[in-house]
């Protein structure tokens, strides 16, 4: 229903203004953003580690009003298709609590199956985190990263990837401290951020009101060294140009840089 309303609002929308916005314009510009943030401003970000007693690694990441609990579990086994290869495996599960949103959602367990969105997001989290790990150095073991959305206000998959990396980093640190892993398998921090075109202007880190109204939105997953892992962009009733996409990539690089700094602060890496 939310997506249907978004499509109705954006139907026939034309993006106005210059196709490309220079870095100086982004820095000075102020979009008509509901939160009052500048075009290139992230929401406030905090990462609290060690929030779960039993998990090998855990954190609570808050990106504005989006809060996600992330944990990492180490198991001395791998899926059948990896067994005997000497490679480790990183996988993920994702879910939203019933009152993480404005109205109560039914638990997927009561429905009897996971929704398509849930499956798509947890696969995205898993493959994003694997991109920053040396699976040979990890050894033949599996680490499962669980991401549970406590409160949603846009960008839950991006927050899950960013917080998931922190939980993963902490769990691997325990393996190294115990001498079970000799060479650090964590090659490069991985983080994710959303960008989009809202009210005709490119903006960083969309919250829910912006996400509902954006003519174009996208999720950008990158490493700390600015290597792209995945880009998901779609026109919600309005097309976008190559120049506009490049502008959003520039914003995403800035946002990921800010998030990586928070990750390193949280993990001491």
């Amino acid at each position: 229903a939310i997506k249907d309303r978004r499509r109705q609002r954006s139907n026939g929308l034309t993006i106005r203004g210059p196709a490309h916005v220079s870095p100086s314009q982004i820095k000075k510009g102020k979009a008509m953003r509901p939160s009052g943030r500048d075009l290139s401003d992230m929401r406030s970000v905090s990462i609290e580690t060690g929030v779960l007693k039993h998990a090998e690694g855990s954190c609570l990441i808050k990106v504005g009003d989006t809060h996600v609990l992330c944990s990492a579990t180490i198991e001395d086994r791998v899926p059948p298709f990896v067994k005997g290869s000497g490679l480790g495996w990183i996988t993920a599960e994702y879910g939203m609590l019933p009152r993480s949103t404005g109205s109560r959602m039914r638990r997927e367990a009561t429905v009897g199956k996971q929704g398509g969105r849930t499956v798509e997001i947890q696969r995205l989290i898993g493959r994003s985190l694997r991109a920053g790990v040396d699976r040979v150095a990890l050894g033949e073991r599996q680490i499962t990263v669980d991401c549970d959305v406590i409160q949603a206000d846009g960008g839950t998959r991006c927050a899950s990837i960013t917080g998931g990396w922190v939980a993963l980093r902490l769990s691997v640190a325990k393996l190294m401290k115990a001498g079970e892993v000799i060479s650090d398998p964590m090659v490069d921090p991985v983080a994710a951020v959303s960008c989009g075109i809202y009210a005709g202007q490119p903006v960083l880190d969309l919250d829910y009101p912006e996400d509902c109204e954006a003519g174009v939105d996208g999720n950008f997953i990158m490493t700390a060294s600015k290597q792209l892992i995945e880009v998901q962009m779609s026109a919600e009733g309005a097309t976008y140009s190559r120049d506009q996409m490049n502008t959003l990539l520039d914003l995403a690089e800035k946002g990921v840089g800010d998030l990586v700094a928070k990750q390193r602060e949280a993990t001491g890496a």
Side-chain angles (χ1 to χ4, degrees):
I2 292 172
K3 283 288 185 182
D4 289 341
R5 289 197 296 272
R6 181 193 297 182
R7 290 191 184 97
Q8 290 168 7
R9 284 193 292 264
S10 61
N11 186 33
L13 175 67
T14 300
I15 298 176
R16 296 180 173 83
H20 181 72
V21 180
S22 69
S24 61
Q25 286 175 306
I26 290 175
K27 187 174 181 181
K28 295 177 182 177
K30 288 182 181 289
M32 295 181 291
R33 305 187 73 174
S35 63
R37 288 180 286 146
D38 286 354
L39 298 177
S40 60
D41 280 354
M42 291 279 298
R43 289 173 284 178
S44 61
V45 179
S46 68
I47 304 176
E48 180 185 356
T49 60
V51 293
L52 294 178
K53 177 180 178 180
H54 301 294
E56 283 80 9
S58 66
C59 75
L60 174 62
I61 181 169
K62 296 182 179 180
V63 182
D65 286 333
T66 290
H67 303 169
V68 184
L69 180 64
C70 303
S71 62
T73 301
I74 302 169
E75 298 175 282
D76 290 323
R77 64 180 183 87
V78 291
F81 61 86
V82 180
K83 193 171 183 179
S85 67
L87 300 175
W89 188 249
I90 309 296
T91 188
E93 293 188 11
Y94 168 94
M96 299 180 69
L97 295 185
R99 280 318 306 265
S100 60
T101 53
S103 58
R104 186 183 186 277
M105 301 170 55
R106 290 187 67 190
R107 295 182 189 272
E108 289 181 321
T110 64
V111 178
K113 66 175 182 178
Q114 290 181 312
R117 176 182 178 274
T118 298
V119 173
E120 184 264 323
I121 290 177
Q122 63 190 27
R123 286 177 177 171
L124 170 66
I125 298 167
R127 65 178 175 266
S128 297
L129 296 177
R130 286 194 295 272
V133 175
D134 180 345
R135 292 170 56 203
V136 175
L138 180 60
E140 201 164 309
R141 56 174 55 84
Q142 174 172 287
I143 302 179
T144 301
V145 176
D146 288 292
C147 302
D148 293 288
V149 179
I150 298 173
Q151 183 170 281
D153 187 38
T156 62
R157 72 186 66 192
C158 293
S160 295
I161 291 168
T162 304
W165 185 88
V166 171
L168 181 61
R169 167 76 271 182
L170 294 171
S171 67
V172 168
K174 284 194 173 183
L175 284 174
M176 295 185 66
K177 186 176 181 180
E180 296 181 44
V181 171
I182 306 303
S183 177
D184 190 356
M186 303 298 285
V187 177
D188 210 4
V190 173
V193 71
S194 63
C195 296
I197 297 176
Y198 174 81
Q201 302 181 84
V203 296
L204 174 65
D205 188 24
L206 283 74
D207 55 24
Y208 181 73
E210 292 171 333
D211 187 46
C212 287
E213 299 285 351
V216 175
D217 62 22
N219 300 301
F220 299 80
I221 302 98
M222 300 184 191
T223 66
S225 55
K226 299 183 180 180
Q227 295 295 299
L228 287 168
I229 296 172
E230 189 158 336
V231 175
Q232 300 177 329
M233 285 191 67
S234 60
E236 298 286 349
T239 58
Y240 56 94
S241 69
R242 177 70 172 269
D243 284 342
Q244 287 172 318
M245 181 174 180
N246 289 340
T247 299
L248 295 182
L249 277 167
D250 290 341
L251 284 172
E253 277 194 5
K254 175 192 178 296
V256 167
D258 292 345
L259 291 168
V260 168
K262 290 288 187 180
Q263 287 175 323
R264 287 176 165 154
E265 180 183 340
T267 61

